[in-house]
Amino acid sequence: MSTFSTQNRVIGHWIGGAHRASTSGRTAPVYNPATGAVQAEVALADQAEIDAAIAAADEGFRTWSAFSIAKRQTVMFAFRELLNARKGELAELITSEHGKVVSDAMGEILRGQEVVELATGFPHLIKGAYSENASTGIDVYSIKQPLGVVGVISPFNFPVMVPLWFAPIAIAAGNAVILKPSEKDPSAALWLAELWQEAGLPAGVFTVLQGDKLAVDGLLHSPVVQSISFVGSTPIAQYIYETASRNGKRVQALGGAKNHMLVLPDADLDLVADQAVNAGFGAAGERCMAISVVLAVEPVADELIAKVTERIAKLTIGNGAGQDGVEPDMGPLITDVHRDKVSSYVDIAEADGATVVVDGRGFTVEGHEDGFFFGPTLLDNVPTTSRAYTEEIFGPVLSVIRVESYDEGLALINSGEFGNGTAIFTNDGGAARRFQHEVQVGMIGINVPIPVPVAYHSFGGWKKSLFGDAKAYGVQGFDFFTREKAITSRWLDPATRALGDQGGINLGFPQNN
């Protein structure tokens, strides 16, 4: 397997089981976020390359879907072992293009690997059912079959974990996958493609199509592509859902979030402060499950803010690759454009009357002055009418809002347009149980700040955080990537047929008498 180096090259596609250079003439820069330098260019597919990717995937599907379950399972186990052996290499590749700390990149891989491990047990999850003698001499049974060619459109913040939420399940079920990764960190997708090939996956079953909106629309409008799985912002998720649905496709489109942490007065504030920092600033806040709002039920806000501020002061920010074997706590943001957008939300909050307790604007790292860094930021008394509260910031900005009661905090969470993740911190089991019942959010943590479900459950929110037919991975993932046939079967017994016990003319609707 090759070792990836993106320096001074154009990152192309993976089509028909091989690297394919682009002839479109269109590219986009790939940065090293820690230095701000362009380290490569990524191809942006034209229509001919989109068509070639889809055709190769369609051919791969016809081959792969004919493989026995036993042979497909062998490939899944081989992929799992290869990924486990080489995950360190992959983590470094993620950091080089995304900027996140290597240990955080490793955590991303391990969470994706959980889904790979679930997928190795796929035979049990794609079984049909059988009812013998449902009517006299008639058996009814069901079988599950793959959809065909399926599209996966993944975001920049998890270039490995999100593709692994979908691709292993889709492939195990017999489908062929076309992955359209983010243009900002495209190399991990090619690394995965090489690994799939080494594991024994036939050519065309895993395709990487680099590109922008043209590539996305090519997948959305193709009659060959049967489903779309997407993770990204809510406006794009809604566009994906509406466009793909109009074209008759299954869709799971996971959108944005504004996740709240409700802190009751009886909570352990040291635990709360630790977890607010972890969940607010981990991965530089560039994750849809980040906690971005702390709802502090008075009188705990002042003490909690002091504890969070104390912890922020101890954080180290720098190149995610580390130096002399020592990693920082937090790396840079993905681009300078995104860094400036995050900064603008702090400007908005301040203009709307919020107090900037810790200011991350203008943050620089010595020796990396051109990197896309933004320091951890803590805001107090953010008005709930401010765009800094209502919109997803997707950066290391933690807002504190003071509320007078559990009911006031719950009402704020439930009134938001998003419903992705939320958490409550309390030592009161009754309050926690009431919260999990009353809150209108898809994923809930009780004294857990980032409640990402394990692989055998499913990931997805409510409201404008999820559009489509199914959540990601778990049993819902296998249901999404298969379709069921119900078969009613009768085999005539020649002996009873000769006696006239079967057959005859009856134009009425079939009945079970």
Side-chain angles (χ1 to χ4, degrees):
M1 183 174 180
S2 65
T3 299
F4 269 84
S5 173
T6 59
Q7 189 71 32
N8 300 322
R9 70 182 184 93
V10 176
I11 302 166
H13 315 291
W14 180 272
I15 298 175
H19 289 283
R20 174 162 172 167
S22 176
T23 58
S24 71
R26 299 192 308 128
T27 62
V30 178
Y31 293 94
N32 180 333
T35 66
V38 176
Q39 60 179 331
E41 298 285 328
V42 61
L44 302 177
D46 60 16
Q47 191 59 52
E49 291 165 345
I50 296 167
D51 292 342
I54 294 172
D58 191 33
E59 184 177 348
F61 164 68
R62 296 175 193 282
T63 300
W64 180 240
S65 60
F67 273 43
S68 69
I69 286 176
K71 288 182 179 180
R72 296 207 307 261
Q73 192 174 32
T74 298
V75 173
M76 299 306 300
F77 273 110
F79 181 79
R80 178 201 179 276
E81 294 305 309
L82 289 169
L83 179 61
N84 190 51
R86 298 176 184 169
K87 57 183 179 287
E89 175 188 334
L90 181 55
E92 292 177 0
L93 179 61
I94 294 170
T95 295
S96 71
E97 291 185 347
H98 177 277
K100 66 176 64 175
V101 174
V102 172
S103 60
D104 190 29
M106 182 64 76
E108 167 186 347
I109 296 167
L110 293 175
R111 290 309 299 266
Q113 189 171 321
E114 289 181 11
V115 182
V116 177
E117 291 168 351
L118 174 72
T120 61
F122 77 92
H124 172 69
L125 295 168
I126 62 168
K127 289 189 305 184
Y130 198 104
S131 296
E132 184 182 29
N133 220 35
S135 186
T136 304
I138 294 178
D139 304 326
V140 179
Y141 55 98
S142 62
I143 59 174
K144 292 184 178 181
Q145 295 183 325
L147 303 180
V149 177
V150 301
V152 175
I153 303 168
S154 65
F156 75 82
N157 60 326
F158 290 108
V160 168
M161 184 180 73
V162 168
L164 291 182
W165 280 359
F166 303 110
I169 292 175
I171 290 170
N175 301 280
V177 173
I178 300 176
L179 170 62
K180 207 301 284 183
S182 169
E183 312 94 285
K184 297 179 177 65
D185 43 10
S187 293
L190 296 175
W191 192 98
L192 291 172
E194 289 191 356
L195 204 72
W196 278 115
Q197 184 180 66
E198 188 171 350
L201 197 67
V205 183
F206 186 82
T207 297
V208 178
L209 179 67
Q210 310 285 7
D212 53 8
K213 187 176 184 296
L214 182 63
V216 170
D217 285 342
L219 298 177
L220 296 180
H221 290 281
S222 169
V224 176
V225 178
Q226 300 300 307
S227 73
I228 296 291
S229 302
F230 170 82
V231 176
S233 69
T234 284
I236 305 302
Q238 190 161 1
Y239 170 77
I240 295 281
Y241 172 66
E242 292 172 353
T243 307
S245 297
R246 268 199 314 271
N247 286 287
K249 305 183 193 309
R250 288 188 178 184
V251 188
Q252 44 186 180
L254 283 67
K258 194 73 178 182
N259 304 321
H260 295 68
M261 173 191 289
L262 180 61
V263 181
L264 301 192
D266 71 326
D268 180 334
L269 293 188
D270 285 314
L271 172 66
V272 171
D274 288 343
Q275 299 308 315
V277 169
N278 293 342
F281 305 129
E286 292 176 321
R287 52 191 180 194
C288 68
M289 290 298 286
I291 290 293
S292 54
V293 178
V294 175
L295 299 173
V297 179
E298 293 291 31
V300 303
D302 287 339
E303 183 180 357
L304 180 57
I305 287 170
K307 289 179 180 292
V308 171
T309 303
E310 176 186 350
R311 286 158 172 78
I312 290 175
K314 298 176 182 178
L315 296 178
T316 57
I317 298 92
N319 187 335
Q323 186 173 0
D324 299 326
V326 179
E327 286 186 352
D329 295 305
M330 196 177 88
L333 297 181
I334 186 71
T335 64
D336 55 348
V337 172
H338 184 56
R339 176 199 59 201
D340 294 345
K341 181 180 179 182
V342 171
S343 185
S344 73
Y345 276 108
V346 182
D347 297 341
I348 290 168
E350 190 172 33
D352 289 342
T355 300
V356 182
V357 180
V358 180
D359 195 343
R361 291 172 291 186
F363 189 91
T364 58
V365 173
E366 185 178 355
H368 293 78
E369 286 79 8
D370 294 327
F372 309 139
F373 292 95
F374 193 90
T377 299
L378 180 62
L379 307 176
D380 186 21
N381 286 312
V382 180
T384 57
T385 54
S386 174
R387 286 177 52 213
Y389 170 73
T390 59
E391 298 179 10
E392 184 177 35
I393 297 176
F394 220 62
V397 179
L398 187 64
S399 299
V400 176
I401 295 177
R402 299 161 185 255
V403 295
E404 295 301 321
S405 67
Y406 164 93
D407 289 321
E408 183 183 350
L410 178 73
L412 276 176
I413 298 172
N414 286 348
S415 65
E417 66 175 356
F418 302 109
N420 205 45
T422 191
I424 185 170
F425 277 74
T426 179
N427 285 316
D428 185 334
R433 191 171 187 276
R434 179 183 170 190
F435 182 76
Q436 73 180 37
H437 176 73
E438 295 179 337
V439 74
Q440 296 173 17
V441 170
M443 294 172 284
I444 301 158
I446 298 174
N447 298 319
V448 173
I450 305 179
V452 177
V454 293
Y456 40 88
H457 288 270
S458 297
F459 180 102
W462 286 15
K463 297 190 280 190
K464 288 190 175 180
S465 293
L466 176 68
F467 301 85
D469 303 316
K471 292 185 175 184
Y473 62 79
V475 174
Q476 289 195 44
F478 282 95
D479 289 342
F480 181 81
F481 286 116
T482 58
R483 50 189 165 191
E484 186 178 82
K485 286 179 177 175
I487 299 138
T488 303
S489 172
R490 175 169 60 189
W491 294 99
L492 301 182
D493 182 339
T496 55
R497 175 65 169 152
L499 298 175
D501 289 347
Q502 299 178 37
I505 301 297
N506 185 344
L507 302 186
F509 194 84
Q511 298 180 36
N512 182 15
N513 293 321

